[in-house]
Amino acid sequence: MTDNAEPQARIEELRTEIERHNRLYYIDAKPEITDREYDQLLSALDALEKEHPAFASASSPTRRVGGAPLANFENVRHAAPMMSLSNTYSKEELVEFDRRIRKLIPEASFDYVLEPKIDGVAISLRYENGELTQAVTRGDGTVGDDVTANVRTIQSIPLRLSDLMPPAVLEVRGEIYMDTAGFAKLNETRQEAGLEPFANPRNACAGSLKLLDPREVAKRPLDAIFYATGELDGVAFDTHEQMLNTLKSYGLRVTPSYWLKDAIEEILDQLDALENMRHEFPFEMDGGVIKVNDRRLYEELGATAKSPRWAVAYKYEPEQAETALRAISIQVGRTGVLTPVAELEPVQLAGTTVKRATLHNEDEIRRKDIRIGDRVIIEKAGEIIPAVVKVVDEKRTGAELEFTMPVACPVCGSEVERREGEVAIRCVNLQCPAQVKNWLTHFASRGAMDINGLGESLVEQLVDGGLVKTPAELYSLQKVEALGLERMGEKSADNLIKGVEESKKRPFEKVLFGLGIRHVGKGAANILANEFKNIDALMAADVEALEAIHDIGPIVGKSVVDYFRAPETRAVIDQLRAAGVNFEQADAGGSHELEGLTFVLTGSMESMTRDEAGDRIKARGGKVSGSVSKNTSYLVAGESAGSKLTKAEKLGVTILSEEQLINLLGSDEIVGDENAGQMGFEF
Ligand code: IVH
């Protein structure tokens, strides 16, 4: 479609295109475009909608996060009651469940479906003529909370069903959950910010849905899977399987796997197999749900007061282990937070040997009355970081020791403080070697300045040797100094100096991320860099200016202002600037020789990482996609390329070797030249 096309048609076209990419990303896990390209589509739509407000629509993908914070949640009556399931831990009860059903409908022959049971928060979505109109929690099953504004921020939930003739009413029921990796990250950030961590992904999910500001909810890694229906008008399903397929075709996520079996014994076996797959799902799976597949039998089977007779939930025992708590050590994080860590007698848990567990903070230790020498029960919360659940009281001998948090930082001996409203205790010394080490490691990391050759152990040596106290001092590091370090040969010293030098070319958003401002992750750094274009404009911004930016909330706003207000920060910025670090956003300019070409990178390369190759392709106007399609111009196949290579061959896509790609990209000097103009600082 050309630029002259009717704006309304173009708007609709963009919405459909964005929805299609949402589906490809969230439902099919086969993205065809990069995040950046997706963002470009979204901003194009946003611009058009602003220009033509008459064509605004509540279900536009630009309107996921909108409106002011809520004062409270309205109560809403469910059109059809939202029932729960009867839960059991016993296989005998499942056999009993089967016997009861067969007695109720003796002549029927049917299959059971087994689905993973997701440990999240139950939700009911209402779509009217294909548009999402309401999202309500279960509440007491009859009346729940209207959390529509929050649920709309969950990217994988379609605001419009992808069907040309959607039913008049479709209510779908499912589970909102926080993915386990996202949960771990969220807790880490909370801990660094001195906030109470969530006990598990389900609590984190429930807490997120109850936030009154949808902009904050949008930052939480929430997702949803649907497995049942409420009111339906204009659509009917004979079987559960058919329902799953239809929901999926509408763009709603359903369980990644399910099993159909005609005998309960087979279900029992499959439940064991499912338990072994427990850690393969991106959500906390706490059991299996067994349902009669034939929905036409539901009415006849009926329900008890709370739950239907055609389904039952079988729960797995939580994965726990008992061990001894030998000691409590203290870790000092990047923001100076002191975290108590349990040093455990090594024990096997969920397939790994666990030696340490987080104790979060002093309040938590008091609450659970954890003492050194205790026998404790540990569990994997969110399947990733083990936590101490409780003390085995009966095994106390009286020889256990109470623990108190140190009054000085165990690393630098400085005073510690507890800020108002925080549970954490922090070291006040910004020059504390622990903080500096964490800061430098973060600064040099891949997603930030990507300094080749500067890993954790080298950072350790640099700080302990007194050579570097801030990231800025890296830039005045001399080769002779580096050579004085342990295990540092000529070649590694050269590499380090070269890596530091090269990092000056990193784009502004990476520098900003590398500064390690509290609450400013990669996403926020990107937004801030795009919005302010250079460090001076950002440093001059006040909280109001920051908060006015889409996707920047008050917490980030305040943290940025506090950060730049500190004189120590200003000194570091001045030094980094003097060293030639890039504090300015590049023009979209760059060169264009790869414009119109889409690359897919697969396998490992020798001379660069795939990310680096991607950056270099993009710097020349090319696109990088995650999956091969007929629109792929080139597939770059590195070492041990797999299925993407096969697919590309099948589709007749041109295959490039690493060497051919390097030829196509030209030499590195070209990149240097291109960037030179962007670094024109005057000082
Ligand atoms: S079916 C009529 N399927 O677990 C109720 N529920 O402990 C239909 N749950 O209340 C529910 N995964 O909140 C169903 N695959 C799944 C589920 C599931 C998790 C939740 C749901 C239910 C609770 C029972």
Side-chain angles (χ1 to χ4, degrees):
M1 190 158 297
T2 68
D3 288 346
N4 302 329
E6 283 293 312
Q8 187 174 12
R10 177 67 185 143
I11 285 176
E12 184 47 38
E13 187 191 42
L14 277 168
R15 284 180 189 158
T16 314
E17 179 70 358
I18 292 167
E19 284 163 357
R20 187 174 78 87
H21 288 300
N22 263 345
R23 241 179 11 257
L24 285 166
Y25 187 90
Y26 291 105
I27 313 295
D28 306 334
K30 285 189 196 123
E32 284 180 2
I33 58 174
T34 61
D35 291 359
R36 202 192 189 109
E37 286 161 336
Y38 179 87
D39 290 343
Q40 280 164 352
L41 287 176
L42 207 58
S43 9
L45 174 61
D46 196 37
L48 268 178
E49 288 178 346
K50 286 204 173 106
E51 208 179 313
H52 306 280
F55 307 131
S57 157
S59 59
S60 169
T62 55
R63 300 275 291 272
R64 282 204 175 267
V65 190
L70 310 168
N72 60 343
F73 300 106
E74 302 277 328
N75 281 345
V76 174
R77 183 166 288 272
H78 292 292
M82 214 173 151
M83 285 194 286
S84 185
L85 293 180
S86 53
N87 285 330
T88 178
Y89 286 92
S90 123
K91 287 195 172 157
E92 285 75 53
E93 282 188 27
L94 293 184
V95 173
E96 186 46 43
F97 160 81
D98 174 58
R99 209 173 286 141
R100 210 163 37 234
I101 292 184
R102 295 194 188 276
K103 216 165 133 193
L104 283 165
I105 42 170
E107 64 289 353
S109 90
F110 57 86
D111 289 326
Y112 286 116
V113 196
L114 169 66
E115 284 179 353
K117 176 164 151 39
I118 305 143
D119 194 12
V121 175
I123 194 82
S124 180
L125 303 186
R126 187 175 173 89
Y127 287 89
E128 290 176 6
N129 300 314
E131 300 222 350
L132 176 65
T133 53
Q134 210 162 44
V136 186
T137 61
R138 173 163 34 222
D140 63 5
T142 311
V143 174
D145 284 337
D146 182 343
V147 288
T148 314
N150 286 348
V151 167
R152 286 172 62 93
T153 68
I154 301 173
Q155 297 284 345
S156 69
I157 291 184
L159 299 178
R160 274 201 303 193
L161 298 179
S162 75
D163 195 292
L164 291 174
M165 301 277 283
V169 176
L170 172 82
E171 273 191 6
V172 281
R173 268 97 196 249
E175 207 83 357
I176 299 193
Y177 64 89
M178 184 173 286
D179 83 72
T180 37
F183 164 74
K185 244 172 135 181
L186 174 70
N187 256 3
E188 212 175 283
T189 326
R190 284 179 72 83
Q191 201 135 341
E192 295 225 321
L195 302 171
E196 187 76 59
F198 290 110
N200 54 48
R202 184 168 44 75
N203 285 3
C205 176
S208 303
L209 282 178
K210 288 276 149 70
L211 291 171
L212 292 167
D213 186 353
R215 287 185 307 181
E216 289 302 313
V217 185
K219 293 182 202 150
R220 299 281 172 90
L222 300 179
D223 214 327
I225 282 186
F226 296 91
Y227 46 63
T229 55
E231 191 190 9
L232 299 176
D233 182 2
V235 66
F237 311 107
D238 287 346
T239 64
H240 184 74
E241 185 171 40
Q242 188 201 356
M243 179 201 74
L244 292 179
N245 289 333
T246 310
L247 295 190
K248 195 168 172 193
S249 77
Y250 286 154
L252 289 156
R253 285 189 71 216
V254 295
T255 173
S257 25
Y258 64 90
W259 295 266
L260 272 179
K261 305 277 174 195
D262 59 8
I264 197 73
E265 291 72 24
E266 290 178 80
I267 290 281
L268 301 186
D269 289 345
Q270 192 58 50
L271 274 169
D272 292 337
L274 179 62
E275 185 166 12
N276 289 330
M277 297 162 63
R278 208 167 164 161
H279 307 291
E280 288 164 27
F281 295 98
F283 43 80
E284 288 265 272
M285 198 229 352
D286 61 342
V289 177
I290 299 114
K291 304 170 184 179
V292 171
N293 186 33
D294 194 333
R295 289 172 55 110
R296 292 164 298 195
L297 301 172
Y298 286 7
E299 204 174 330
E300 203 173 332
L301 288 168
T304 64
K306 278 214 182 102
S307 45
R309 286 206 188 83
W310 44 263
V312 66
Y314 176 79
K315 291 186 65 161
Y316 299 127
E317 298 293 341
E319 285 177 292
Q320 295 185 332
E322 188 189 311
T323 187
L325 192 155
R326 290 173 168 169
I328 296 180
S329 62
I330 299 287
Q331 250 174 20
V332 186
R334 181 153 55 91
T335 56
V337 170
L338 272 59
T339 304
V341 176
E343 304 290 344
L344 306 165
E345 173 109 32
V347 62
Q348 283 296 115
L349 175 65
T352 53
T353 308
V354 177
K355 296 190 195 110
R356 312 177 89 198
T358 172
L359 293 169
H360 300 306
N361 52 58
E362 192 171 20
D363 289 3
E364 168 107 351
I365 298 177
R366 294 278 157 274
R367 202 164 39 237
K368 294 181 178 161
D369 187 24
I370 296 167
R371 300 183 194 175
I372 300 162
D374 268 332
R375 296 289 302 175
V376 292
I377 302 291
I378 59 164
E379 192 177 299
K380 285 209 173 168
E383 317 281 349
I384 297 164
I385 334 141
V388 174
V389 186
K390 61 170 190 206
V391 170
V392 188
D393 286 330
E394 321 70 274
K395 298 205 176 152
R396 275 236 164 113
T397 62
E400 296 78 11
L401 294 173
E402 274 198 45
F403 172 79
T404 40
M405 285 294 274
V407 290
C409 169
V411 177
C412 70
S414 301
E415 197 189 312
V416 294
E417 64 167 12
R418 185 167 174 164
R419 294 189 197 162
E420 210 183 302
E422 292 192 354
V423 286
I425 288 175
R426 285 173 198 277
C427 164
V428 296
N429 174 17
L430 289 176
Q431 263 96 51
C432 169
Q435 288 190 59
V436 172
K437 281 178 196 169
N438 281 313
W439 187 16
L440 284 173
T441 312
H442 168 77
F443 185 79
S445 69
R446 266 261 188 93
M449 299 301 270
D450 195 10
I451 303 181
N452 216 350
L454 186 53
E456 237 168 85
S457 64
L458 191 48
V459 162
E460 189 104 345
Q461 292 190 58
L462 289 172
V463 176
D464 290 344
L467 291 177
V468 177
K469 286 185 292 303
T470 71
E473 292 180 8
L474 285 173
Y475 294 92
S476 46
L477 191 68
Q478 301 297 317
K479 187 176 161 189
V480 281
E481 294 174 315
L483 274 173
L485 299 171
E486 232 176 88
R487 291 191 303 275
M488 178 67 79
E490 279 281 334
K491 202 162 162 228
S492 338
D494 280 337
N495 274 344
L496 174 65
I497 303 291
K498 188 164 160 243
V500 168
E501 186 58 31
E502 276 178 358
S503 75
K504 293 181 185 172
K505 292 187 219 149
R506 300 289 171 252
F508 180 40
E509 68 264 18
K510 302 224 169 181
V511 183
L512 208 48
F513 174 59
L515 290 178
I517 307 170
R518 276 170 74 196
H519 303 299
V520 177
K522 269 186 211 153
N526 253 325
I527 296 170
L528 294 173
N530 281 328
E531 200 68 31
F532 290 96
K533 310 285 188 219
N534 64 59
I535 195 91
D536 295 309
L538 178 61
M539 287 204 287
D542 56 16
V543 176
E544 289 73 43
L546 286 158
E547 263 192 65
I549 300 166
H550 190 63
D551 281 344
I552 298 290
I555 299 179
V556 174
K558 182 170 178 317
S559 171
V560 170
V561 170
D562 286 350
Y563 178 82
F564 287 117
R565 202 174 278 159
E568 303 88 348
T569 306
R570 295 223 166 220
V572 171
I573 304 278
D574 287 345
Q575 288 164 16
L576 285 171
R577 196 196 291 251
V581 168
N582 176 20
F583 278 123
E584 200 152 348
Q585 177 85 325
D587 290 336
S591 64
H592 304 279
E593 65 263 27
L594 301 183
E595 199 155 303
L597 299 176
T598 303
F599 291 74
V600 173
L601 307 167
T602 185
S604 56
M605 286 182 243
E606 249 175 43
S607 62
M608 57 188 144
T609 65
R610 282 207 300 269
D611 279 352
E612 282 161 4
D615 286 345
R616 290 176 64 180
I617 290 170
K618 285 186 254 172
R620 284 160 178 74
K623 283 186 186 172
V624 179
S625 165
S627 62
V628 179
S629 75
K630 60 181 185 346
N631 299 326
T632 309
S633 322
Y634 294 109
L635 177 103
V636 182
E639 194 64 26
S640 52
S643 62
K644 288 185 190 173
L645 176 58
T646 325
K647 186 162 178 201
E649 282 168 346
K650 220 193 256 164
L651 292 175
V653 170
T654 312
I655 318 280
L656 294 182
S657 65
E658 178 175 349
E659 203 181 330
Q660 288 169 313
L661 173 71
I662 292 171
N663 285 338
L664 198 64
L665 290 170
S667 73
D668 244 347
E669 270 65 52
I670 298 174
V671 180
D673 285 350
E674 273 164 20
N675 287 345
Q678 302 154 13
M679 300 195 296
F681 278 113
E682 287 170 29
F683 22 76

